[in-house]
């Protein structure tokens, strides 16, 4: 005889229906989702209206997504889920560079550029030079390491947010470290910026009186043969919002001084006007 679906039997009934899922990891994940969702519903006790609102909200998040806008990543970011997943997966030796969120703006392939090239194709803003070296945890340099770099401009916008203002590829570059694992590039000092607030995630921030700002940063994905790649950023130490990132992505080890250099010979060495900002980011990768 069929068993009634009750508050008491609901979770076991759905979990049992998943028992024959051939992929064990999928079974584990779906079982966890069902258990936790049911627990949430029991704890909060949404009304039918509230549940409908929740469905409408997630529908709106999906409808906001296209090939240039990823509202689901944004939602995961502001709820701290992206950072939690990143932190769990980024458990590495203390020596390795910390990871942080990918964010929704890694949406186009960065153009390959020579070391020393500028990723700024516009010429506004405070000139900035980024130098560094990619090494393994034992200090061995990693020649040929690949560095995918992207950043917002000095007004706090990514190229894909301003297709009529910025050429695609502005603020982006794919670099290959030299035979010593060293790299450098020129850019402009990025600005802090609000995450997009014109969609459902913006509404959530509004309704919870949270600000939408991220401190100024430059994104990196760094990989080298035989090593686990790292997705990370460096943060400008004197940027507003360094203590209250809307997506919880700041880690102390990733906060860097972008030193103001007012020295013509230094500026000439890097081919930038004086004064300029200079920062260094040494990246340590763990063997795979
Ligand atoms: C970003 O840094 O590009 C970013 C990360 C999370 C949410 C929005 C933007
Ligand atoms: Fe960013």
């Amino acid at each position: 005889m069929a068993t009634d679906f009750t508050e008491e039997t609901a979770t076991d009934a759905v979990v049992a229906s998943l028992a024959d899922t051939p992929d064990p990891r999928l079974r584990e994940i779906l079982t966890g989702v069902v258990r936790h969702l049911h627990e949430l519903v029991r704890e909060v006790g949404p009304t039918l209206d509230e549940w409908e609102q929740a469905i409408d909200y997630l529908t709106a998040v999906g409808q906001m997504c296209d090939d240039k806008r990823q509202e689901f990543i944004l939602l995961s970011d502001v709820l701290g889920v992206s950072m939690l997943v990143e932190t769990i997966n980024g458990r590495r030796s203390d020596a390795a560079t910390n990871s942080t969120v990918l964010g929704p703006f890694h949406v186009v392939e960065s153009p390959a550029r020579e070391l020393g090239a500028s990723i700024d194709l516009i010429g506004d803003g405070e000139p900035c030079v980024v130098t560094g070296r990619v090494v393994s945890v034992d200090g061995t340099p990693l020649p040929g390491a690949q560095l995918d770099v992207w950043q917002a401009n000095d007004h706090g916008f990514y190229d894909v947010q301003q297709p009529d203002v910025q050429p695609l590829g502005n603020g982006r570059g794919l670099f290959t470290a030299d035979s010593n694992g060293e790299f450098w590039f020129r850019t402009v000092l990025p600005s802090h910026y609000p995450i997009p607030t014109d969609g459902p995630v913006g509404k959530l921030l509004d309704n919870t009186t949270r600000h939408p700002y991220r401190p100024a940063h430059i994104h990196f994905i760094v990989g080298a043969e035989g090593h686990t790649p790292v997705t990370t950023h460096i943060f400008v130490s004197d940027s507003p919002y360094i203590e209250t990132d809307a997506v919880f992505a700041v880690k102390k080890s990733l906060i860097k001084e972008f030193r103001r250099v007012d020295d013509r010979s230094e500026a000439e060495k890097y081919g930038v006007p004086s004064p300029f900002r200079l920062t260094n980011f040494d990246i340590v990768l763990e063997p795979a």
Side-chain angles (χ1 to χ4, degrees), residues 11 40 44 60 73 96 106 112 120 137 170 222 229 253 272 278-279 281:
T11 308
L40 171 71
V44 177
I73 297 184
H106 187 254
D120 168 58
V137 282
N170 187 45
V222 184
S253 66
V272 291
L278 178 61
T279 195
F281 182 31

Side-chain angles (χ1 to χ4, degrees), residues 74 77 101-105 158 193 195-196 214 217 219 233 247:
L74 208 55
D77 292 338
V101 292
L102 174 69
F105 294 119
Y158 287 85
Y193 63 82
I195 63 168
R214 300 216 59 210
H217 57 272
H219 293 260
H233 329 339
V247 303

Side-chain angles (χ1 to χ4, degrees), residues 60-273:
V61 170
Q63 286 169 341
M64 198 76 196
C65 295
D66 60 26
D67 58 340
K68 300 230 160 53
R69 176 75 180 259
Q70 232 309 345
E71 196 76 356
F72 270 114
I73 297 184
L74 208 55
L75 181 60
S76 154
D77 292 338
V78 299
L79 295 180
V81 180
S82 304
M83 205 46 203
L84 186 57
V85 173
E86 189 60 53
T87 303
I88 288 168
N89 282 279
R91 284 181 193 135
R92 301 196 174 100
S93 80
D94 287 348
T97 295
N98 280 149
S99 59
T100 192
V101 292
L102 174 69
F105 294 119
H106 187 254
V107 284
V108 293
E109 204 167 289
S110 296
R113 302 194 196 279
E114 296 295 319
L115 289 178
S118 182
I119 62 172
D120 168 58
L121 309 178
I122 294 183
D124 287 348
E126 215 177 332
C128 179
V129 173
V130 180
T131 62
R133 200 158 76 112
V134 188
V135 298
S136 188
V137 282
D138 65 359
T140 313
L142 296 172
Q146 293 273 309
L147 299 107
D148 189 352
V149 176
W150 69 107
Q151 69 166 74
N153 67 6
D154 56 315
H155 297 290
F157 294 103
Y158 287 85
D159 56 352
V160 291
Q161 293 176 287
Q162 291 188 308
D164 301 332
V165 177
Q166 299 186 43
L168 200 62
N170 187 45
R172 299 179 194 266
L174 187 61
F175 295 95
T176 303
D178 70 12
S179 55
N180 297 316
E182 290 175 348
F183 67 90
W184 76 283
F185 61 90
R186 290 174 289 148
T187 183
V188 290
L189 190 71
S191 171
H192 59 281
Y193 63 82
I195 63 168
T197 54
D198 56 339
V201 170
K203 260 193 203 130
L204 185 150
L205 293 179
D206 243 11
N207 290 342
T208 54
T209 67
R210 281 174 55 181
H211 77 70
Y213 288 94
R214 300 216 59 210
H217 57 272
I218 303 177
H219 293 260
F220 288 77
I221 298 176
V222 184
E225 218 182 299
H227 288 73
T228 307
V230 67
T231 298
T232 193
H233 329 339
I234 50 174
F235 293 92
V236 179
S237 61
D238 56 355
S239 172
Y241 306 104
I242 197 82
E243 300 287 346
T244 59
D245 185 358
V247 303
F248 309 97
V250 178
K251 288 185 173 167
K252 277 203 186 77
S253 66
L254 301 174
I255 301 177
K256 304 288 172 196
E257 188 188 1
F258 282 60
R259 194 161 56 85
R260 190 168 184 279
V261 180
D262 197 350
D263 177 330
R264 273 169 187 270
S265 66
E266 275 285 285
E268 262 167 34
K269 183 173 121 191
Y270 292 114
V272 291

Side-chain angles (χ1 to χ4, degrees), residues 22-34:
D23 179 337
R25 181 65 176 152
L26 180 62
R27 183 170 65 241
E28 182 186 357
I29 292 170
L30 284 177
T31 300
V33 167
V34 168

